[in-house]
Amino acid sequence: MEAKERVNDTEEKEEAWSWGAGTEGQLGTGKLQDEHIPQLLPILSSLSLLSCGGAHVIALTPGKMVLTWGRGTSGQLGHGNLVNSLEPKPVDLLNNYNITHVSAGWNHSGFVSESGHLYTCGDGSFGQLGLGDYRSQNCPIKVSCFAFRHVEQIACGMRHSLALLKGEHGDQVYSFGSGKRGQLGTSNEKIKSISLPRSVSGLEEVKVSSIIANGDHSAALSADGHLYTWGRGFGGTPEVCCPNRVISPFSFTQATLGWNHALILTDEGEVLMLGGSHHGVLNNPQKENLAKQDSNEAHLQKIHGLNRIKVVGIASGAEHSVLTTENGVVMTWGWGEHGQLGLGSTSDHTSPQVVRLGENVAHEHMTSKVYCGSGFTFVVRTQRGKRD
Amino acid sequence: MSYDDVEIEDMEWNEELKAFTYPCPCGDLFQITKDELKIGEEIARCPSCSLYITVIYNMEDFSDQKSKTNIEPAKQQPVAVA
Ligand SMILES: [Zn+2]
């Protein structure tokens, strides 16, 4: 997402690491097993964007090549078959499209091209491919309904998708797929499912900078730092069928969604959490409610134990959370049964713990980008060293 | 503790597993068979982890006496071959 510019007089070394649930090949290690400690992936040296789904991964290389691996049984890898792939494999069909944005959902995938076209594949049982039917596809198919529009981003959830369109008439967010929990945000009533994109209501006046989907949750982050959420509630709050602004005195720069929680990064480098009554929860008894809200609204909690460390990136798995600091340190917390916290055990943690990535210690020339699938984690770490 | 309560109509029939399924946060699927539903079982387990969900359904819909016409869960569609 925020690809760092390369500086001529420095040397960059990029490393990709993965850990957690791995029995579908989603870790890219070439093995079908869970990993409790971070695994260095030698084959993935340079990546510009990663997106992790239920058990598959989509990666974009700087040369705009699309690689996928992991579970392929619904066609979500786009390889033209229904087979899992233990190692990153190019999606040949997208070679000439200059793909700039990708998203991996539970069992479906979305790809956006430089020219503004959207392609989808994988499970379509709920209409989440946006192709006007309920069929699944094993090769990326162009969403024809957007043929004359400019799609900029795609976000794939469990059974639904969001698309961000840019144009003369401003930004527009569209949704398609299952709406049982209100995650489509298209009307005041819940819609069972739609297979053709429909406009999300209530965001017409908002300049949307990014869209987020996971589980039965949907969200949009505005350019002026506001977060809107809809779909399944957080922490026992009711479902919301239309975008609802999260009330907070802070300005937000990034937001990620799990299946029962949301993580939000403020412009001051602090992390807040919404919901998390299940495994993503921080059971800190001293948790501080930042805004006094009525019981129908989820409480925003500050993540404790960070001691004013500046956070620059966040990611949410279904039930675990990952952050990275300005020195490239990676921390995890939440559900750990599959080793998705990368701490060498299967224990859960209620506060952020530092993950050891090989022997290298964090320093000022290091940055990390963090990504989560349902039960697994990926980190791409860049080290810049001055040339002699 | 049950991870979630899920209505049977939100579960998908998986022909390969011969079970109704629902996504598990670990990446695998919660599963329950028709035979289990018939005897009143309401817990669907995930074979890969310790989590389970509570399935909300009407037991009579699955008993032998009744016809199966009442059950209409989301069906898995065949994958189109391009
Ligand atoms: Zn599981």
Side-chain angles (χ1 to χ4, degrees):
Chain A
M1 275 184 255
E2 52 254 88
K4 291 267 184 294
E5 273 181 47
R6 280 162 198 270
V7 187
N8 285 336
D9 64 343
T10 60
E11 217 167 58
E12 275 196 0
K13 202 178 123 218
E14 205 174 84
E15 294 169 344
W17 298 79
S18 69
W19 60 89
T23 52
E24 309 267 5
Q26 62 266 58
L27 297 183
T29 51
K31 294 182 209 152
L32 287 171
Q33 64 186 46
D34 291 1
E35 300 290 351
H36 300 167
I37 56 166
Q39 304 293 306
L40 180 62
L41 304 172
I43 32 167
L44 287 171
S45 54
S46 193
L47 297 172
S48 56
L49 180 61
L50 258 186
S51 183
C52 304
H56 72 293
V57 182
I58 309 172
L60 210 53
T61 70
K64 299 208 175 84
M65 186 158 78
V66 181
L67 303 169
T68 59
W69 63 93
R71 182 161 62 206
T73 50
S74 299
Q76 62 267 59
L77 301 184
H79 295 157
N81 58 37
L82 303 174
V83 182
N84 288 5
S85 178
L86 304 190
E87 273 155 14
K89 232 176 106 180
V91 183
D92 295 327
L93 223 92
L94 296 172
N95 268 351
N96 302 319
Y97 294 134
N98 275 345
I99 299 299
T100 53
H101 196 259
V102 295
S103 179
W106 168 254
N107 269 344
H108 71 293
S109 304
F111 314 88
V112 176
S113 71
E114 204 166 28
S115 55
H117 292 137
L118 172 64
Y119 301 83
T120 58
C121 65
D123 189 359
S125 316
F126 297 86
Q128 65 266 55
L129 302 186
L131 299 170
D133 59 24
Y134 294 88
R135 292 194 304 165
S136 299
Q137 301 289 344
N138 60 22
C139 277
I141 307 280
K142 191 197 271 188
V143 177
S144 56
C145 152
F146 292 142
F148 302 104
R149 307 290 303 274
H150 192 96
V151 181
E152 193 158 278
Q153 289 177 27
I154 175 73
C156 299
M158 186 196 284
R159 294 170 167 179
H160 74 293
S161 309
L162 304 176
L164 174 62
L165 278 76
K166 297 269 170 182
E168 307 143 35
H169 311 295
D171 305 342
Q172 257 186 308
V173 179
Y174 280 78
S175 63
F176 40 98
S178 170
K180 283 278 312 240
R181 303 280 189 159
Q183 64 266 51
L184 296 180
T186 50
S187 72
N188 285 319
E189 284 164 53
K190 272 178 253 173
I191 297 166
K192 200 173 175 203
S193 63
I194 50 169
S195 61
L196 282 172
R198 206 178 282 181
S199 174
V200 171
S201 55
L203 292 174
E204 293 80 8
E205 306 298 314
V206 179
K207 189 169 163 43
V208 177
S209 61
S210 66
I211 47 172
I212 311 109
N214 196 8
D216 294 326
H217 297 295
S218 298
L221 194 64
S222 74
D224 58 358
H226 291 137
L227 181 68
Y228 298 79
T229 65
W230 61 101
R232 192 186 168 113
F234 292 103
T237 60
E239 292 161 1
V240 182
C241 298
C242 277
N244 194 8
R245 209 186 106 192
V246 175
I247 308 295
S248 161
F250 298 101
S251 181
F252 304 138
T253 57
Q254 200 196 334
T256 61
L257 297 168
W259 286 13
N260 287 289
H261 73 296
L263 288 183
I264 315 170
L265 184 62
T266 73
D267 59 353
E268 285 164 16
E270 277 195 306
V271 183
L272 307 176
M273 192 167 81
L274 262 182
S277 65
H278 291 70
H279 288 90
V281 71
L282 284 187
N283 290 315
N284 193 330
Q286 297 142 35
K287 69 192 165 197
E288 172 185 329
N289 293 329
L290 290 177
K292 195 91 192 130
Q293 290 159 324
D294 60 70
S295 58
N296 271 357
E297 281 191 64
H299 290 282
L300 266 182
Q301 297 157 21
K302 204 162 156 176
I303 305 300
H304 286 266
L306 290 173
N307 296 323
R308 283 189 283 277
I309 301 170
K310 195 163 190 273
V311 177
V312 296
I314 50 176
S316 307
E319 296 292 341
H320 72 291
S321 300
V322 182
L323 63 80
T324 179
T325 71
E326 56 187 345
N327 294 332
V329 174
V330 174
M331 298 173 97
T332 59
W333 73 101
W335 188 38
E337 185 169 345
H338 286 272
Q340 59 265 59
L341 303 186
L343 304 171
S345 78
T346 55
S347 308
D348 299 347
H349 282 274
T350 53
S351 63
Q353 310 288 314
V354 174
V355 179
R356 271 177 67 98
L357 294 173
E359 294 305 312
N360 287 318
V361 274
H363 56 78
E364 55 183 314
H365 299 299
M366 194 148 81
T367 53
S368 299
K369 284 186 268 178
V370 291
Y371 308 91
C372 288
S374 286
F376 61 102
T377 308
F378 266 81
V379 167
V380 177
R381 189 168 68 167
T382 308
Q383 292 188 66
R384 285 179 304 281
K386 283 237 181 325
R387 257 184 215 154
D388 295 324
Chain B
M1 202 181 82
S2 172
Y3 176 70
D4 203 355
D5 295 341
V6 176
E7 287 173 32
I8 190 75
E9 64 161 25
D10 289 333
M11 298 186 77
E12 290 178 85
W13 176 253
N14 186 309
E15 192 54 42
E16 229 167 283
L17 298 168
K18 294 267 182 267
F20 289 97
T21 66
Y22 191 80
C24 174
C26 78
D28 205 342
L29 298 167
F30 293 113
Q31 304 170 17
I32 192 163
T33 64
K34 279 182 188 162
D35 284 342
E36 287 173 314
L37 293 166
K38 211 178 279 179
I39 59 166
E41 177 62 67
E42 52 181 24
I43 298 299
R45 290 175 198 284
C46 170
S48 298
C49 71
S50 65
L51 302 183
Y52 58 90
I53 53 170
T54 306
V55 182
I56 299 166
Y57 70 107
N58 191 348
M59 202 179 142
E60 288 149 28
D61 294 345
F62 291 90
S63 64
D64 284 325
Q65 289 87 343
K66 284 247 176 155
S67 74
K68 287 179 191 162
T69 48
N70 295 341
I71 318 154
E72 272 188 71
K75 288 180 209 81
Q76 264 204 334
Q77 300 282 333
V79 178
V81 179

